[in-house]
Amino acid sequence: MNFHLHSPPTQALAALARSDCDTAVLFMGNEALGKEPAKAKAPARSPLLKLAMQLAGQGDFEAGAGKLVSVPAAPGVVAQRLLLAHVGDGTPAQVRKAAVAVAGSLKGNTHAKRISLAAASGFDGPQLRAAILGLAEGSYVYSSTKSKPKGRHLVSVEVIADNVDALQADLDWAVACMRGIELAKEWGNRPANHATPVHLAQAARALGKTPKTTCEVLGPKQIAKLKMGSFLAVAQGSRNEPRFIVLKYQGAPASVAPHVLVGKGITFDTGGISLKPAAEMDEMKFDMCGAASVLGVFEALSVLKPAINVVGLIPTCENMPGGDALKPGDVVTSMAGQTIEVLNTDAEGRLILCDALTYAERFKPQSVVDIATLTGACVVALGHVRTGMYASNDELAAQLTRAGDAAQDPCWRMPLDDEYAEGLKTHFADVANVAGRAGGSITAAKFLQRFAAKYDWAHLDIAGTAWKSGAAKGSTGRPVGLLLQYLTDQT
């Protein structure tokens, strides 16, 4: 979808009325509809605003973010249809909700390919970002494995605003973020036979051809040479070979230490010998959404081209119950030399991540953030609203929290008290891969922390936020927004 800003020679609402688009969209909040005192008199004289207030007075335009009213052949409007969208009190979250509703109402409408958008009270930067991401979210269509694919009908959005110079950077960020989110959704949504480790490697290689980006893909022999015994142990039960993907984006001088992202890439998780229940096991194709988010961030970086260095590490394999599969009670040796007793083969994500975290040491990074659909316990703790965030450094935790809030991709810091690691003790290895049921997301993070002691580290448990179930089943593309905001905040 294409977005561009337009600065009219006259007032924005007048320009919206004259636009020859398919659908003219006007965002309106409480203030514009007289629910709050107006800040200026000029917008109140707009015919469009008068029409909206008339409809509101008749009860045809309800207040509340996401409420819509469609007016075909509206008087004084060139477009075939005028769509009024209420944005509540105008917060970015309310604007995004309205934008999702707008896109949803136009979905499948072949006569709504081009829209023009203006806001009665104008846009600020966060509102514009929210509008773009909401329109993209609401119009997204997955089609890769359909026999008769149907793409999105909405292809062009013109944003009419009086302050385009001040908004251009926000537009650029939002478009880059949109691209990254949609790539993450694409790979998250693909079924496991269309998203094997080899397929993920191909996607990474394609990103390696974009500006300032390189890609290296390691196969089983190279992984074994690195002594990633924990990673290989998870992969050994599958016919599909593992891959270790190394992406590098260099937007700053080589002397500048990079930030490293580590994405869990289990392309399908049966649980291994500790087999999962059959119900909803199909959703375990989403167990590589951490890897997908790293791919998405690199897509966004290639568009935005910020002055920063970033490394992306993706250990990717399947977790299958084959004859060679890892067994409960087995002891494996990680790249760090630590031995691990595998008490549950369904706690495999931490086994591949720990070797990637050790590999990250060679970059002498400014920070390392791993992203993983790691534990059902995190879903129990935080539901599907906030990503669980663990951090060894208070400033890193604060930066990620601010980034998540700014990107409307929120996280919540969880504890890392040493006492939580007590349950990982074992008589047969340096550490067990699971503790008891209590605090399962925390003990998983404590396991990873053992392998991330040489740098500032954070862990994002996205098990509750990476995808949706039920009627809205599909990848959310999170936490691409959070990560991109965090990285661009470092420039």
PDB file of all heavy atoms in Angstrom, residues 25-33 61-68 84-99 102 117-123 127 130-131:
ATOM      1  N   VAL A  25     -12.046  10.344   3.481  1.00  0.00           N
ATOM      2  CA  VAL A  25     -12.181   9.929   4.876  1.00  0.00           C
ATOM      3  C   VAL A  25     -11.833  11.102   5.776  1.00  0.00           C
ATOM      4  O   VAL A  25     -10.773  11.727   5.627  1.00  0.00           O
ATOM      5  CB  VAL A  25     -11.250   8.740   5.197  1.00  0.00           C
ATOM      6  CG1 VAL A  25     -11.408   8.328   6.658  1.00  0.00           C
ATOM      7  CG2 VAL A  25     -11.547   7.565   4.273  1.00  0.00           C
ATOM      8  N   LEU A  26     -12.729  11.394   6.707  1.00  0.00           N
ATOM      9  CA  LEU A  26     -12.500  12.489   7.649  1.00  0.00           C
ATOM     10  C   LEU A  26     -12.511  11.941   9.064  1.00  0.00           C
ATOM     11  O   LEU A  26     -13.496  11.345   9.511  1.00  0.00           O
ATOM     12  CB  LEU A  26     -13.585  13.562   7.495  1.00  0.00           C
ATOM     13  CG  LEU A  26     -13.491  14.763   8.452  1.00  0.00           C
ATOM     14  CD1 LEU A  26     -12.167  15.504   8.285  1.00  0.00           C
ATOM     15  CD2 LEU A  26     -14.670  15.706   8.234  1.00  0.00           C
ATOM     16  N   PHE A  27     -11.387  12.121   9.763  1.00  0.00           N
ATOM     17  CA  PHE A  27     -11.292  11.757  11.170  1.00  0.00           C
ATOM     18  C   PHE A  27     -11.813  12.916  12.009  1.00  0.00           C
ATOM     19  O   PHE A  27     -11.407  14.064  11.814  1.00  0.00           O
ATOM     20  CB  PHE A  27      -9.843  11.476  11.560  1.00  0.00           C
ATOM     21  CG  PHE A  27      -9.333  10.117  11.160  1.00  0.00           C
ATOM     22  CD1 PHE A  27      -8.024   9.760  11.417  1.00  0.00           C
ATOM     23  CD2 PHE A  27     -10.154   9.191  10.542  1.00  0.00           C
ATOM     24  CE1 PHE A  27      -7.528   8.512  11.069  1.00  0.00           C
ATOM     25  CE2 PHE A  27      -9.688   7.942  10.185  1.00  0.00           C
ATOM     26  CZ  PHE A  27      -8.369   7.598  10.447  1.00  0.00           C
ATOM     27  N   MET A  28     -12.682  12.594  12.944  1.00  0.00           N
ATOM     28  CA  MET A  28     -13.270  13.624  13.794  1.00  0.00           C
ATOM     29  C   MET A  28     -13.299  13.148  15.236  1.00  0.00           C
ATOM     30  O   MET A  28     -13.633  12.001  15.509  1.00  0.00           O
ATOM     31  CB  MET A  28     -14.690  13.952  13.334  1.00  0.00           C
ATOM     32  CG  MET A  28     -14.787  14.262  11.855  1.00  0.00           C
ATOM     33  SD  MET A  28     -16.409  14.855  11.414  1.00  0.00           S
ATOM     34  CE  MET A  28     -16.438  16.370  12.306  1.00  0.00           C
ATOM     35  N   GLY A  29     -12.974  14.048  16.153  1.00  0.00           N
ATOM     36  CA  GLY A  29     -12.985  13.701  17.563  1.00  0.00           C
ATOM     37  C   GLY A  29     -14.068  14.432  18.321  1.00  0.00           C
ATOM     38  O   GLY A  29     -14.933  15.106  17.740  1.00  0.00           O
ATOM     39  N   ASN A  30     -14.023  14.328  19.631  1.00  0.00           N
ATOM     40  CA  ASN A  30     -15.014  14.974  20.486  1.00  0.00           C
ATOM     41  C   ASN A  30     -15.033  16.478  20.272  1.00  0.00           C
ATOM     42  O   ASN A  30     -16.090  17.110  20.243  1.00  0.00           O
ATOM     43  CB  ASN A  30     -14.703  14.663  21.946  1.00  0.00           C
ATOM     44  CG  ASN A  30     -14.840  13.181  22.257  1.00  0.00           C
ATOM     45  OD1 ASN A  30     -15.669  12.488  21.667  1.00  0.00           O
ATOM     46  ND2 ASN A  30     -14.019  12.694  23.175  1.00  0.00           N
ATOM     47  N   GLU A  31     -13.837  17.046  20.127  1.00  0.00           N
ATOM     48  CA  GLU A  31     -13.741  18.495  19.970  1.00  0.00           C
ATOM     49  C   GLU A  31     -14.448  18.975  18.711  1.00  0.00           C
ATOM     50  O   GLU A  31     -15.224  19.931  18.722  1.00  0.00           O
ATOM     51  CB  GLU A  31     -12.260  18.888  19.924  1.00  0.00           C
ATOM     52  CG  GLU A  31     -12.030  20.366  19.696  1.00  0.00           C
ATOM     53  CD  GLU A  31     -10.538  20.661  19.579  1.00  0.00           C
ATOM     54  OE1 GLU A  31      -9.791  20.311  20.509  1.00  0.00           O
ATOM     55  OE2 GLU A  31     -10.148  21.236  18.559  1.00  0.00           O
ATOM     56  N   ALA A  32     -14.197  18.277  17.584  1.00  0.00           N
ATOM     57  CA  ALA A  32     -14.772  18.698  16.308  1.00  0.00           C
ATOM     58  C   ALA A  32     -16.284  18.577  16.286  1.00  0.00           C
ATOM     59  O   ALA A  32     -16.970  19.313  15.578  1.00  0.00           O
ATOM     60  CB  ALA A  32     -14.162  17.884  15.173  1.00  0.00           C
ATOM     61  N   LEU A  33     -16.819  17.649  17.084  1.00  0.00           N
ATOM     62  CA  LEU A  33     -18.267  17.462  17.099  1.00  0.00           C
ATOM     63  C   LEU A  33     -18.955  18.241  18.210  1.00  0.00           C
ATOM     64  O   LEU A  33     -20.111  18.013  18.526  1.00  0.00           O
ATOM     65  CB  LEU A  33     -18.586  15.970  17.259  1.00  0.00           C
ATOM     66  CG  LEU A  33     -18.338  15.128  16.005  1.00  0.00           C
ATOM     67  CD1 LEU A  33     -18.608  13.672  16.287  1.00  0.00           C
ATOM     68  CD2 LEU A  33     -19.165  15.597  14.838  1.00  0.00           C
ATOM     69  N   PHE A  61     -24.425   9.603  13.580  1.00  0.00           N
ATOM     70  CA  PHE A  61     -22.976   9.528  13.752  1.00  0.00           C
ATOM     71  C   PHE A  61     -22.683   9.480  15.240  1.00  0.00           C
ATOM     72  O   PHE A  61     -22.757  10.483  15.940  1.00  0.00           O
ATOM     73  CB  PHE A  61     -22.309  10.735  13.089  1.00  0.00           C
ATOM     74  CG  PHE A  61     -20.799  10.677  13.072  1.00  0.00           C
ATOM     75  CD1 PHE A  61     -20.115   9.481  13.200  1.00  0.00           C
ATOM     76  CD2 PHE A  61     -20.055  11.837  12.908  1.00  0.00           C
ATOM     77  CE1 PHE A  61     -18.741   9.443  13.175  1.00  0.00           C
ATOM     78  CE2 PHE A  61     -18.675  11.807  12.882  1.00  0.00           C
ATOM     79  CZ  PHE A  61     -18.014  10.600  13.011  1.00  0.00           C
ATOM     80  N   GLU A  62     -22.405   8.281  15.724  1.00  0.00           N
ATOM     81  CA  GLU A  62     -22.216   8.087  17.153  1.00  0.00           C
ATOM     82  C   GLU A  62     -20.799   8.459  17.585  1.00  0.00           C
ATOM     83  O   GLU A  62     -19.840   8.301  16.828  1.00  0.00           O
ATOM     84  CB  GLU A  62     -22.469   6.625  17.523  1.00  0.00           C
ATOM     85  CG  GLU A  62     -23.885   6.144  17.265  1.00  0.00           C
ATOM     86  CD  GLU A  62     -24.035   4.693  17.661  1.00  0.00           C
ATOM     87  OE1 GLU A  62     -23.635   4.344  18.787  1.00  0.00           O
ATOM     88  OE2 GLU A  62     -24.538   3.908  16.844  1.00  0.00           O
ATOM     89  N   ALA A  63     -20.692   8.951  18.792  1.00  0.00           N
ATOM     90  CA  ALA A  63     -19.382   9.231  19.369  1.00  0.00           C
ATOM     91  C   ALA A  63     -18.739   7.920  19.815  1.00  0.00           C
ATOM     92  O   ALA A  63     -19.425   6.961  20.157  1.00  0.00           O
ATOM     93  CB  ALA A  63     -19.508  10.179  20.551  1.00  0.00           C
ATOM     94  N   GLY A  64     -17.423   7.894  19.799  1.00  0.00           N
ATOM     95  CA  GLY A  64     -16.680   6.701  20.218  1.00  0.00           C
ATOM     96  C   GLY A  64     -15.705   6.272  19.152  1.00  0.00           C
ATOM     97  O   GLY A  64     -16.059   6.197  17.964  1.00  0.00           O
ATOM     98  N   ALA A  65     -14.464   6.018  19.558  1.00  0.00           N
ATOM     99  CA  ALA A  65     -13.424   5.652  18.600  1.00  0.00           C
ATOM    100  C   ALA A  65     -13.831   4.436  17.781  1.00  0.00           C
ATOM    101  O   ALA A  65     -14.254   3.418  18.330  1.00  0.00           O
ATOM    102  CB  ALA A  65     -12.115   5.381  19.329  1.00  0.00           C
ATOM    103  N   GLY A  66     -13.734   4.564  16.472  1.00  0.00           N
ATOM    104  CA  GLY A  66     -14.082   3.477  15.573  1.00  0.00           C
ATOM    105  C   GLY A  66     -15.495   3.522  15.044  1.00  0.00           C
ATOM    106  O   GLY A  66     -15.855   2.725  14.173  1.00  0.00           O
ATOM    107  N   LYS A  67     -16.303   4.452  15.541  1.00  0.00           N
ATOM    108  CA  LYS A  67     -17.656   4.600  15.004  1.00  0.00           C
ATOM    109  C   LYS A  67     -17.588   5.293  13.638  1.00  0.00           C
ATOM    110  O   LYS A  67     -16.874   6.282  13.467  1.00  0.00           O
ATOM    111  CB  LYS A  67     -18.528   5.417  15.943  1.00  0.00           C
ATOM    112  CG  LYS A  67     -18.729   4.780  17.316  1.00  0.00           C
ATOM    113  CD  LYS A  67     -19.532   3.492  17.219  1.00  0.00           C
ATOM    114  CE  LYS A  67     -19.839   2.931  18.614  1.00  0.00           C
ATOM    115  NZ  LYS A  67     -20.629   1.680  18.542  1.00  0.00           N
ATOM    116  N   LEU A  68     -18.341   4.764  12.669  1.00  0.00           N
ATOM    117  CA  LEU A  68     -18.274   5.254  11.294  1.00  0.00           C
ATOM    118  C   LEU A  68     -19.662   5.611  10.779  1.00  0.00           C
ATOM    119  O   LEU A  68     -20.665   5.065  11.227  1.00  0.00           O
ATOM    120  CB  LEU A  68     -17.687   4.179  10.367  1.00  0.00           C
ATOM    121  CG  LEU A  68     -16.356   3.532  10.734  1.00  0.00           C
ATOM    122  CD1 LEU A  68     -16.028   2.424   9.734  1.00  0.00           C
ATOM    123  CD2 LEU A  68     -15.248   4.571  10.759  1.00  0.00           C
ATOM    124  N   LEU A  84     -17.020   9.228   7.461  1.00  0.00           N
ATOM    125  CA  LEU A  84     -16.694   9.947   8.682  1.00  0.00           C
ATOM    126  C   LEU A  84     -16.314   8.930   9.748  1.00  0.00           C
ATOM    127  O   LEU A  84     -17.032   7.945   9.962  1.00  0.00           O
ATOM    128  CB  LEU A  84     -17.893  10.769   9.156  1.00  0.00           C
ATOM    129  CG  LEU A  84     -18.435  11.803   8.163  1.00  0.00           C
ATOM    130  CD1 LEU A  84     -19.707  12.433   8.706  1.00  0.00           C
ATOM    131  CD2 LEU A  84     -17.391  12.869   7.868  1.00  0.00           C
ATOM    132  N   ALA A  85     -15.176   9.153  10.403  1.00  0.00           N
ATOM    133  CA  ALA A  85     -14.681   8.214  11.407  1.00  0.00           C
ATOM    134  C   ALA A  85     -14.415   8.956  12.704  1.00  0.00           C
ATOM    135  O   ALA A  85     -13.700   9.965  12.720  1.00  0.00           O
ATOM    136  CB  ALA A  85     -13.402   7.543  10.916  1.00  0.00           C
ATOM    137  N   HIS A  86     -14.988   8.459  13.792  1.00  0.00           N
ATOM    138  CA  HIS A  86     -14.798   9.110  15.090  1.00  0.00           C
ATOM    139  C   HIS A  86     -13.516   8.586  15.736  1.00  0.00           C
ATOM    140  O   HIS A  86     -13.263   7.382  15.761  1.00  0.00           O
ATOM    141  CB  HIS A  86     -15.988   8.838  16.004  1.00  0.00           C
ATOM    142  CG  HIS A  86     -16.144   9.853  17.086  1.00  0.00           C
ATOM    143  ND1 HIS A  86     -15.313   9.894  18.183  1.00  0.00           N
ATOM    144  CD2 HIS A  86     -17.011  10.882  17.233  1.00  0.00           C
ATOM    145  CE1 HIS A  86     -15.676  10.895  18.967  1.00  0.00           C
ATOM    146  NE2 HIS A  86     -16.712  11.511  18.407  1.00  0.00           N
ATOM    147  N   VAL A  87     -12.689   9.498  16.233  1.00  0.00           N
ATOM    148  CA  VAL A  87     -11.409   9.130  16.855  1.00  0.00           C
ATOM    149  C   VAL A  87     -11.409   9.388  18.351  1.00  0.00           C
ATOM    150  O   VAL A  87     -10.352   9.491  18.977  1.00  0.00           O
ATOM    151  CB  VAL A  87     -10.232   9.871  16.182  1.00  0.00           C
ATOM    152  CG1 VAL A  87     -10.097   9.466  14.728  1.00  0.00           C
ATOM    153  CG2 VAL A  87     -10.378  11.387  16.312  1.00  0.00           C
ATOM    154  N   GLY A  88     -12.575   9.493  18.938  1.00  0.00           N
ATOM    155  CA  GLY A  88     -12.656   9.672  20.386  1.00  0.00           C
ATOM    156  C   GLY A  88     -11.931  10.913  20.848  1.00  0.00           C
ATOM    157  O   GLY A  88     -12.140  12.006  20.316  1.00  0.00           O
ATOM    158  N   ASP A  89     -11.053  10.750  21.837  1.00  0.00           N
ATOM    159  CA  ASP A  89     -10.324  11.906  22.367  1.00  0.00           C
ATOM    160  C   ASP A  89      -9.032  12.170  21.615  1.00  0.00           C
ATOM    161  O   ASP A  89      -8.225  13.002  22.036  1.00  0.00           O
ATOM    162  CB  ASP A  89     -10.047  11.718  23.858  1.00  0.00           C
ATOM    163  CG  ASP A  89      -9.308  10.419  24.170  1.00  0.00           C
ATOM    164  OD1 ASP A  89      -8.851   9.755  23.211  1.00  0.00           O
ATOM    165  OD2 ASP A  89      -9.191  10.077  25.357  1.00  0.00           O
ATOM    166  N   GLY A  90      -8.799  11.446  20.512  1.00  0.00           N
ATOM    167  CA  GLY A  90      -7.673  11.752  19.637  1.00  0.00           C
ATOM    168  C   GLY A  90      -6.339  11.180  20.062  1.00  0.00           C
ATOM    169  O   GLY A  90      -5.317  11.508  19.475  1.00  0.00           O
ATOM    170  N   THR A  91      -6.308  10.296  21.066  1.00  0.00           N
ATOM    171  CA  THR A  91      -5.049   9.660  21.420  1.00  0.00           C
ATOM    172  C   THR A  91      -4.625   8.729  20.272  1.00  0.00           C
ATOM    173  O   THR A  91      -5.464   8.280  19.481  1.00  0.00           O
ATOM    174  CB  THR A  91      -5.176   8.828  22.695  1.00  0.00           C
ATOM    175  OG1 THR A  91      -6.115   7.756  22.455  1.00  0.00           O
ATOM    176  CG2 THR A  91      -5.653   9.682  23.863  1.00  0.00           C
ATOM    177  N   PRO A  92      -3.322   8.437  20.156  1.00  0.00           N
ATOM    178  CA  PRO A  92      -2.899   7.522  19.092  1.00  0.00           C
ATOM    179  C   PRO A  92      -3.647   6.195  19.105  1.00  0.00           C
ATOM    180  O   PRO A  92      -3.982   5.663  18.039  1.00  0.00           O
ATOM    181  CB  PRO A  92      -1.402   7.351  19.368  1.00  0.00           C
ATOM    182  CG  PRO A  92      -0.995   8.639  20.015  1.00  0.00           C
ATOM    183  CD  PRO A  92      -2.178   9.024  20.865  1.00  0.00           C
ATOM    184  N   ALA A  93      -3.916   5.669  20.278  1.00  0.00           N
ATOM    185  CA  ALA A  93      -4.637   4.400  20.362  1.00  0.00           C
ATOM    186  C   ALA A  93      -6.048   4.515  19.781  1.00  0.00           C
ATOM    187  O   ALA A  93      -6.525   3.618  19.077  1.00  0.00           O
ATOM    188  CB  ALA A  93      -4.704   3.927  21.814  1.00  0.00           C
ATOM    189  N   GLN A  94      -6.712   5.644  20.062  1.00  0.00           N
ATOM    190  CA  GLN A  94      -8.063   5.864  19.529  1.00  0.00           C
ATOM    191  C   GLN A  94      -8.021   6.094  18.021  1.00  0.00           C
ATOM    192  O   GLN A  94      -8.887   5.611  17.279  1.00  0.00           O
ATOM    193  CB  GLN A  94      -8.702   7.063  20.233  1.00  0.00           C
ATOM    194  CG  GLN A  94      -8.797   6.930  21.740  1.00  0.00           C
ATOM    195  CD  GLN A  94     -10.061   6.190  22.181  1.00  0.00           C
ATOM    196  OE1 GLN A  94     -10.761   5.598  21.387  1.00  0.00           O
ATOM    197  NE2 GLN A  94     -10.321   6.235  23.468  1.00  0.00           N
ATOM    198  N   VAL A  95      -7.007   6.817  17.571  1.00  0.00           N
ATOM    199  CA  VAL A  95      -6.859   7.052  16.131  1.00  0.00           C
ATOM    200  C   VAL A  95      -6.632   5.729  15.408  1.00  0.00           C
ATOM    201  O   VAL A  95      -7.210   5.470  14.342  1.00  0.00           O
ATOM    202  CB  VAL A  95      -5.704   8.036  15.861  1.00  0.00           C
ATOM    203  CG1 VAL A  95      -5.393   8.097  14.364  1.00  0.00           C
ATOM    204  CG2 VAL A  95      -6.062   9.429  16.370  1.00  0.00           C
ATOM    205  N   ARG A  96      -5.775   4.893  15.980  1.00  0.00           N
ATOM    206  CA  ARG A  96      -5.505   3.607  15.337  1.00  0.00           C
ATOM    207  C   ARG A  96      -6.767   2.752  15.278  1.00  0.00           C
ATOM    208  O   ARG A  96      -7.026   2.090  14.263  1.00  0.00           O
ATOM    209  CB  ARG A  96      -4.403   2.869  16.092  1.00  0.00           C
ATOM    210  CG  ARG A  96      -3.999   1.562  15.431  1.00  0.00           C
ATOM    211  CD  ARG A  96      -2.680   1.061  15.953  1.00  0.00           C
ATOM    212  NE  ARG A  96      -2.256  -0.150  15.270  1.00  0.00           N
ATOM    213  CZ  ARG A  96      -1.018  -0.624  15.281  1.00  0.00           C
ATOM    214  NH1 ARG A  96      -0.078   0.027  15.944  1.00  0.00           N
ATOM    215  NH2 ARG A  96      -0.703  -1.743  14.648  1.00  0.00           N
ATOM    216  N   LYS A  97      -7.552   2.773  16.339  1.00  0.00           N
ATOM    217  CA  LYS A  97      -8.796   2.010  16.348  1.00  0.00           C
ATOM    218  C   LYS A  97      -9.726   2.489  15.241  1.00  0.00           C
ATOM    219  O   LYS A  97     -10.362   1.679  14.549  1.00  0.00           O
ATOM    220  CB  LYS A  97      -9.473   2.151  17.714  1.00  0.00           C
ATOM    221  CG  LYS A  97     -10.730   1.308  17.878  1.00  0.00           C
ATOM    222  CD  LYS A  97     -11.280   1.421  19.292  1.00  0.00           C
ATOM    223  CE  LYS A  97     -12.511   0.557  19.477  1.00  0.00           C
ATOM    224  NZ  LYS A  97     -13.054   0.648  20.867  1.00  0.00           N
ATOM    225  N   ALA A  98      -9.793   3.799  15.055  1.00  0.00           N
ATOM    226  CA  ALA A  98     -10.632   4.352  13.994  1.00  0.00           C
ATOM    227  C   ALA A  98     -10.108   3.954  12.621  1.00  0.00           C
ATOM    228  O   ALA A  98     -10.878   3.616  11.713  1.00  0.00           O
ATOM    229  CB  ALA A  98     -10.693   5.870  14.118  1.00  0.00           C
ATOM    230  N   ALA A  99      -8.782   3.990  12.460  1.00  0.00           N
ATOM    231  CA  ALA A  99      -8.195   3.641  11.168  1.00  0.00           C
ATOM    232  C   ALA A  99      -8.431   2.177  10.827  1.00  0.00           C
ATOM    233  O   ALA A  99      -8.704   1.833   9.673  1.00  0.00           O
ATOM    234  CB  ALA A  99      -6.699   3.946  11.188  1.00  0.00           C
ATOM    235  N   VAL A 102     -11.957   1.954   9.633  1.00  0.00           N
ATOM    236  CA  VAL A 102     -12.090   2.485   8.273  1.00  0.00           C
ATOM    237  C   VAL A 102     -11.643   1.447   7.251  1.00  0.00           C
ATOM    238  O   VAL A 102     -12.349   1.152   6.276  1.00  0.00           O
ATOM    239  CB  VAL A 102     -11.262   3.773   8.118  1.00  0.00           C
ATOM    240  CG1 VAL A 102     -11.109   4.144   6.641  1.00  0.00           C
ATOM    241  CG2 VAL A 102     -11.914   4.919   8.870  1.00  0.00           C
ATOM    242  N   LEU A 117      -7.375  11.223   3.107  1.00  0.00           N
ATOM    243  CA  LEU A 117      -7.628  11.247   4.546  1.00  0.00           C
ATOM    244  C   LEU A 117      -7.218  12.583   5.130  1.00  0.00           C
ATOM    245  O   LEU A 117      -6.136  13.094   4.846  1.00  0.00           O
ATOM    246  CB  LEU A 117      -6.834  10.124   5.221  1.00  0.00           C
ATOM    247  CG  LEU A 117      -6.754  10.112   6.752  1.00  0.00           C
ATOM    248  CD1 LEU A 117      -8.127   9.876   7.349  1.00  0.00           C
ATOM    249  CD2 LEU A 117      -5.777   9.048   7.208  1.00  0.00           C
ATOM    250  N   ALA A 118      -8.095  13.162   5.934  1.00  0.00           N
ATOM    251  CA  ALA A 118      -7.779  14.377   6.674  1.00  0.00           C
ATOM    252  C   ALA A 118      -8.389  14.259   8.068  1.00  0.00           C
ATOM    253  O   ALA A 118      -9.262  13.419   8.316  1.00  0.00           O
ATOM    254  CB  ALA A 118      -8.318  15.613   5.956  1.00  0.00           C
ATOM    255  N   ALA A 119      -7.881  15.084   8.963  1.00  0.00           N
ATOM    256  CA  ALA A 119      -8.397  15.109  10.334  1.00  0.00           C
ATOM    257  C   ALA A 119      -8.946  16.491  10.624  1.00  0.00           C
ATOM    258  O   ALA A 119      -8.319  17.504  10.289  1.00  0.00           O
ATOM    259  CB  ALA A 119      -7.306  14.749  11.336  1.00  0.00           C
ATOM    260  N   ALA A 120     -10.120  16.553  11.224  1.00  0.00           N
ATOM    261  CA  ALA A 120     -10.758  17.842  11.490  1.00  0.00           C
ATOM    262  C   ALA A 120      -9.868  18.749  12.326  1.00  0.00           C
ATOM    263  O   ALA A 120      -9.840  19.962  12.124  1.00  0.00           O
ATOM    264  CB  ALA A 120     -12.099  17.615  12.187  1.00  0.00           C
ATOM    265  N   SER A 121      -9.120  18.165  13.248  1.00  0.00           N
ATOM    266  CA  SER A 121      -8.231  18.950  14.107  1.00  0.00           C
ATOM    267  C   SER A 121      -6.774  18.837  13.693  1.00  0.00           C
ATOM    268  O   SER A 121      -5.882  19.247  14.428  1.00  0.00           O
ATOM    269  CB  SER A 121      -8.391  18.509  15.568  1.00  0.00           C
ATOM    270  OG  SER A 121      -9.728  18.688  15.995  1.00  0.00           O
ATOM    271  N   GLY A 122      -6.526  18.284  12.514  1.00  0.00           N
ATOM    272  CA  GLY A 122      -5.160  18.110  12.042  1.00  0.00           C
ATOM    273  C   GLY A 122      -4.497  16.899  12.675  1.00  0.00           C
ATOM    274  O   GLY A 122      -5.021  16.286  13.599  1.00  0.00           O
ATOM    275  N   PHE A 123      -3.351  16.528  12.126  1.00  0.00           N
ATOM    276  CA  PHE A 123      -2.576  15.403  12.632  1.00  0.00           C
ATOM    277  C   PHE A 123      -1.327  15.891  13.343  1.00  0.00           C
ATOM    278  O   PHE A 123      -0.670  16.837  12.884  1.00  0.00           O
ATOM    279  CB  PHE A 123      -2.107  14.499  11.480  1.00  0.00           C
ATOM    280  CG  PHE A 123      -3.183  13.643  10.882  1.00  0.00           C
ATOM    281  CD1 PHE A 123      -3.673  13.913   9.616  1.00  0.00           C
ATOM    282  CD2 PHE A 123      -3.682  12.550  11.573  1.00  0.00           C
ATOM    283  CE1 PHE A 123      -4.645  13.117   9.045  1.00  0.00           C
ATOM    284  CE2 PHE A 123      -4.661  11.743  11.012  1.00  0.00           C
ATOM    285  CZ  PHE A 123      -5.139  12.029   9.743  1.00  0.00           C
ATOM    286  N   GLN A 127      -0.263  10.656  15.974  1.00  0.00           N
ATOM    287  CA  GLN A 127      -1.559  10.352  15.372  1.00  0.00           C
ATOM    288  C   GLN A 127      -1.396   9.843  13.944  1.00  0.00           C
ATOM    289  O   GLN A 127      -2.075   8.903  13.523  1.00  0.00           O
ATOM    290  CB  GLN A 127      -2.449  11.591  15.384  1.00  0.00           C
ATOM    291  CG  GLN A 127      -2.947  11.999  16.761  1.00  0.00           C
ATOM    292  CD  GLN A 127      -3.668  13.340  16.734  1.00  0.00           C
ATOM    293  OE1 GLN A 127      -3.357  14.198  15.900  1.00  0.00           O
ATOM    294  NE2 GLN A 127      -4.605  13.524  17.640  1.00  0.00           N
ATOM    295  N   ALA A 130      -0.177   6.314  13.973  1.00  0.00           N
ATOM    296  CA  ALA A 130      -1.273   5.433  14.361  1.00  0.00           C
ATOM    297  C   ALA A 130      -2.245   5.215  13.205  1.00  0.00           C
ATOM    298  O   ALA A 130      -2.738   4.105  12.986  1.00  0.00           O
ATOM    299  CB  ALA A 130      -2.000   6.010  15.568  1.00  0.00           C
ATOM    300  N   ALA A 131      -2.531   6.272  12.461  1.00  0.00           N
ATOM    301  CA  ALA A 131      -3.470   6.165  11.336  1.00  0.00           C
ATOM    302  C   ALA A 131      -2.921   5.231  10.263  1.00  0.00           C
ATOM    303  O   ALA A 131      -3.639   4.368   9.740  1.00  0.00           O
ATOM    304  CB  ALA A 131      -3.740   7.546  10.757  1.00  0.00           C
TER     305      ALA A 131
END
